[in-house]
Amino acid sequence: MAVINILSQHVADMIAAGEVVERPGSVVKELMENAVDAGAKNITVELRGGGATFIRVQDDGCGMAPEDAGNCFLRHATSKLKDERGLEAIATMGFRGEALAAISAVSRVELLTRRGEDAEGTRVTVEGGDILEMHPAARPQGTTFTVRDLFYNTPARLKFMKSDRAEGAWCVQLALRVALGRPDISVRCLRDGKEEFFTSGDGRPDSAVYALLGRETALSMLPVDGENEGVRVTGFVSSPAMGRGNRAMQFFFVNGRSIKSPILQAAVEQAYKNTLLVGRFPACVLYIALNPGAVDVNVHPTKNEVKFSAEKRVFDAAYYAALNAVHGENRPLEMELSAGTKKKLESAPAPAQERPAQREDRPKPAGATRFAPAYTKPPRGELELHSPLPVYRRSAPAPYSAAAPTAEKSYTPALPAERRPEPVPPPKPDPAPEQATLFAPREAPGKTEKPAVRLVGEVMRTYIVAEQGDTMLLIDKHAAHERMNFDRLKAAGRQIMSQTLLAPEPWHPSQEDLEAVRENAELLAELGFELEVFGEEEMIVRSVPDALDPAQTIPALEEISEKLRRGRRDLARDEILQTISCKAAIKAGWDTDPRELQVLVDKVASGEIKYCPHGRPVAVTLTRKELDKQFRRIV
Ligand code: ADP
Ligand code: MG
């Protein structure tokens, strides 16, 4: 009996649709890109709910002839590519003729289109890939695609959809990227009848940058403009003071196409070397313009990855352009804003402490509207860079307490209650023998006692040296502390202790981060975060987990939202506990009280702690025998 079936064209199309149309956002992207390719000057995107029930994209581009209006839904029907030679230098967004076939295979589509030269337009309705009707119809020049009931005939895919909120936000995000890639096109985006964003199409990316990155980040952007061997790089990078906890705010465009690019990402991050803290990422909106022949866009189904023929040249161009911006002349962090953006900006809700008193008094240069960042919070990194945070001292002055929100508690009670410090802990580089005994590992009765452990000291402000019988221990103090925190949080049960911040901390997450946080509000509350939505896109953090150093609030939230977006739902809780544990742990390079080191030594010596929550070892050991061998005392 034959076991191989030849799939019908219809089924094949539905499978192909899975590659191109993953979520409603993919439909928005493909339809908008078609509008861009059609030479539109104005594009309107409307969606309802999360986009699955309704997406409409209208443009004033070239429109289609009646016969093309029917053919465009066929697989491999494209007006953009004639033969394989065209593949070598693609200057359009689309080229495979797959998107409309894929979209129409899994939804109900209505197309209304008219070319300028035609007396009348055409209306086509398609359902599950079959053309149902086709009539002449009236329309000004341009095209409207309406896509309803996405995935109505592929229930499996429907199951993978997230909430309307998340899918809708992703649609808006993708629309924004298309808009940002082409500042010369005016894009209006409506969701449930409400305007999500509008770009004027005046050729300047700033209003879209503002909409995409949010006020705080947009105002701190440094302009970029550079060229290297035919690769032009323009756009914006964030000032080093504005490092972020993840890469959600890095956007790259190659010839107007939004792409992911490890090379460009590395180039930009390299430019921040030694100016951004490790673990912080720059934000950027970078436009790379180069000869279409020097970039292959046909390497990924959704076309959001590309291959450069001269990677080094592209890397260098981006690196030097960003470097010049970061280390350029000390220009004030200013950005020209269009009148529309400025209006939006002024009406935007700003947290009280951010609202600039001096904005109105600033002299405005004639002809241009200029803005300086009104809110100059000291760089977050300062705290860690210039003054190692004493985990131990409650009385230590918080270095930026005068200017920035501080918390009720300026340190983390990282140790068990009975070992909390006196106000000034006397340094004890060499603990008394009875102390060593006191904290010797407690073995279960019946087991052979392990020898007592002695703290010898610390090297490189990173590794603890200890001895236990005939074994020398080298312990990574951060990793060990991280593990200890993690275990305690895990043992604490469902509801983690929370601390109220003295001054609530404003947070401006990216749209995706915001959605992730909203979706997981319950989990975050359990973990001790109290967050409040403020205005459209701002959050106010009122409480954080008790174990977390309040100065780490925003970095922790950024890392957590990244994990929530990327990670598996069932693992979310542990992942977040890991972040809290890490952010609450003492760091390499910090001064640490010897008694705190002792606690860690005890935990490791007793075998309670072996690996950090990420699975790296916390200690390495050297036995007397190994040392004796090294010194050739024995052979
Ligand atoms: P591709 O964009 O790869 O060519 P699509 O399936 O997205 O494939 O579109 C098929 C064809 O339909 C396009 O090549 C174009 O000729 C036509 N088309 C699609 N959308 C529009 C539009 N908004 N305006 C004019 N023509 C369009
Ligand atoms: Mg297309």
Side-chain angles (χ1 to χ4, degrees):
M1 193 180 77
V3 287
I4 296 178
N5 284 316
I6 309 293
L7 295 177
S8 73
Q9 190 55 45
H10 178 61
V11 176
D13 280 349
M14 295 219 298
I15 292 169
E19 282 176 38
V20 186
V21 191
E22 293 177 312
R23 300 167 62 178
S26 327
V27 175
V28 169
K29 172 176 174 286
E30 293 292 343
L31 294 181
M32 285 184 76
E33 289 187 350
N34 281 346
V36 169
D37 285 343
K41 285 279 136 232
N42 295 280
I43 303 176
T44 303
V45 184
E46 288 169 74
L47 46 133
R48 291 191 199 142
T53 45
F54 182 97
I55 293 171
R56 173 172 286 162
V57 175
Q58 303 189 58
D59 69 56
D60 57 356
C62 61
M64 282 182 257
E67 58 271 33
D68 285 343
N71 286 340
C72 72
F73 295 103
L74 297 175
R75 197 124 188 253
H76 308 306
T78 180
S79 55
K80 300 165 197 173
L81 198 63
K82 293 225 157 45
D83 53 37
E84 75 278 4
R85 268 170 301 155
L87 264 180
E88 282 160 23
I90 290 166
T92 49
M93 294 281 163
F95 51 86
R96 296 194 191 117
E98 266 176 356
L100 291 179
I103 293 167
S104 63
V106 291
S107 67
R108 301 186 169 99
V109 182
E110 187 186 321
L111 160 65
L112 182 58
T113 185
R114 184 172 78 86
R115 294 190 302 181
E117 63 263 41
D118 294 338
E120 51 186 12
T122 314
R123 179 192 303 276
V124 184
T125 48
V126 187
E127 204 171 298
D130 300 322
I131 294 186
L132 298 186
E133 281 178 70
M134 202 165 151
H135 304 289
R139 197 209 185 275
Q141 179 186 332
T143 302
T144 304
F145 274 100
T146 310
V147 176
R148 294 188 173 87
D149 306 327
L150 186 65
F151 302 134
Y152 78 97
N153 53 355
T154 51
R157 190 147 282 276
L158 208 53
K159 264 195 230 133
F160 279 98
M161 299 252 279
K162 300 192 179 156
S163 67
D164 275 7
R165 261 211 130 93
E167 295 295 349
W170 183 236
C171 288
V172 173
Q173 178 76 204
L174 286 176
L176 254 172
R177 287 187 197 181
V178 175
L180 194 53
R182 293 294 301 264
D184 55 324
I185 299 175
S186 170
V187 178
R188 185 181 299 281
C189 177
L190 304 162
R191 184 173 165 199
D192 293 323
K194 200 178 122 274
E195 185 175 292
E196 288 283 339
F197 71 86
F198 170 73
T199 61
S200 66
D202 62 1
R204 296 176 2 175
D206 44 19
S207 52
V209 168
Y210 175 80
L212 194 58
L213 302 187
R215 175 176 180 275
E216 202 183 339
T217 309
L219 287 180
S220 75
M221 294 303 254
L222 307 165
V224 174
D225 195 348
E227 173 148 15
N228 176 48
E229 297 180 65
V231 182
R232 174 101 195 269
V233 181
T234 55
F236 304 93
V237 293
S238 59
S239 95
M242 294 297 295
R244 307 198 59 101
N246 61 38
R247 297 192 172 96
M249 293 225 178
Q250 297 186 353
F251 300 95
F252 300 103
F253 299 90
V254 171
N255 292 343
R257 180 193 303 278
S258 168
I259 55 146
K260 279 198 227 136
S261 169
I263 291 170
L264 291 171
Q265 181 185 304
V268 169
E269 288 176 13
Q270 186 75 22
Y272 284 80
K273 203 158 175 243
N274 300 327
T275 61
L276 257 187
L277 281 174
V278 174
R280 308 293 290 164
F281 302 96
C284 67
V285 178
L286 279 193
Y287 299 94
I288 317 294
L290 75 176
N291 177 349
V295 49
D296 186 358
V297 292
N298 192 21
V299 294
H300 193 268
T302 59
K303 295 171 285 185
N304 60 12
E305 279 165 36
V306 299
K307 180 139 182 42
F308 298 108
S309 58
E311 297 191 332
K312 176 91 174 64
R313 241 195 294 157
V314 174
F315 180 96
D316 284 350
Y319 170 67
Y320 287 111
L323 195 70
N324 276 336
V326 176
H327 294 284
E329 74 270 31
N330 250 355
R331 80 188 111 208
L333 309 184
E334 291 191 350
M335 183 163 147
E336 287 199 9
L337 295 177
S338 63
T341 307
K342 190 190 151 217
K343 220 174 107 221
K344 195 165 173 187
L345 195 78
E346 282 180 331
S347 60
Q353 64 267 51
E354 276 195 45
R355 194 161 284 136
Q358 74 280 39
R359 185 193 285 167
E360 266 65 48
D361 318 333
R362 285 177 63 85
K364 290 184 180 118
T369 323
R370 291 190 148 254
F371 267 87
Y375 174 48
T376 44
K377 193 171 172 174
R380 283 225 162 76
E382 218 168 65
L383 192 70
E384 287 118 295
L385 271 183
H386 306 307
S387 48
L389 186 70
V391 183
Y392 223 60
R393 249 154 265 149
R394 188 185 269 271
S395 54
Y400 70 124
S401 59
T406 51
E408 209 167 336
K409 287 191 276 174
S410 62
Y411 84 109
T412 307
L415 304 175
E418 74 271 16
R419 305 206 71 248
R420 284 209 189 149
E422 303 83 23
V424 184
K428 281 190 191 160
D430 198 356
E434 66 273 17
Q435 194 181 355
T437 331
L438 187 63
F439 298 110
R442 261 158 253 155
E443 289 286 327
K447 269 198 187 170
T448 36
E449 287 279 304
K450 273 196 188 171
V453 61
R454 182 176 73 90
L455 170 69
V456 177
E458 188 188 0
V459 289
M460 301 161 207
R461 286 175 156 190
T462 303
Y463 301 109
I464 308 170
V465 184
E467 104 177 281
Q468 185 176 31
D470 259 359
T471 304
M472 183 175 123
L473 293 163
L474 276 172
I475 300 167
D476 179 330
K477 68 176 181 183
H478 170 74
H481 195 198
E482 191 178 357
R483 180 79 224 186
M484 190 176 112
N485 290 338
F486 184 73
D487 289 346
R488 274 198 313 140
L489 287 169
K490 284 281 275 185
R494 239 191 140 67
Q495 182 64 51
I496 302 284
M497 283 270 287
S498 175
Q499 58 174 320
T500 306
L501 299 178
L502 248 196
E505 179 104 16
W507 179 37
H508 190 112
S510 70
Q511 280 198 355
E512 298 171 81
D513 284 353
L514 188 71
E515 285 309 318
V517 165
R518 279 183 169 160
E519 289 227 312
N520 294 279
E522 209 172 301
L523 175 61
L524 288 167
E526 267 176 29
L527 295 172
F529 286 100
E530 192 191 326
L531 302 163
E532 204 177 282
V533 182
F534 185 87
E536 279 290 288
E537 42 204 17
E538 198 105 30
M539 291 228 133
I540 299 289
V541 187
R542 300 209 175 274
S543 308
V544 297
D546 183 56
L548 193 67
D549 174 356
Q552 295 290 319
T553 299
I554 303 301
L557 278 169
E558 285 173 345
E559 202 179 301
I560 288 168
S561 46
E562 160 114 1
K563 284 179 169 175
L564 288 173
R565 282 192 287 119
R566 303 264 150 88
R568 275 173 47 190
R569 253 208 137 91
D570 50 335
L571 297 181
R573 192 182 166 89
D574 271 8
E575 294 246 329
I576 295 176
L577 291 183
Q578 278 182 14
T579 298
I580 299 171
S581 314
C582 176
K583 297 276 186 257
I586 51 173
K587 302 271 183 309
W590 285 7
D591 280 326
T592 314
D593 189 275
R595 284 174 311 166
E596 198 168 20
L597 299 179
Q598 180 74 49
V599 175
L600 298 172
V601 168
D602 292 338
K603 297 256 180 202
V604 173
S606 71
E608 203 178 304
I609 291 179
K610 290 200 182 70
Y611 296 97
C612 84
H614 313 285
R616 288 190 296 272
V618 298
V620 294
T621 54
L622 263 179
T623 60
R624 167 176 279 279
K625 212 166 151 196
E626 284 164 337
L627 280 172
D628 285 349
K629 267 195 178 166
Q630 290 280 323
F631 289 102
R632 311 260 159 83
R633 282 170 167 269
I634 56 168
V635 280

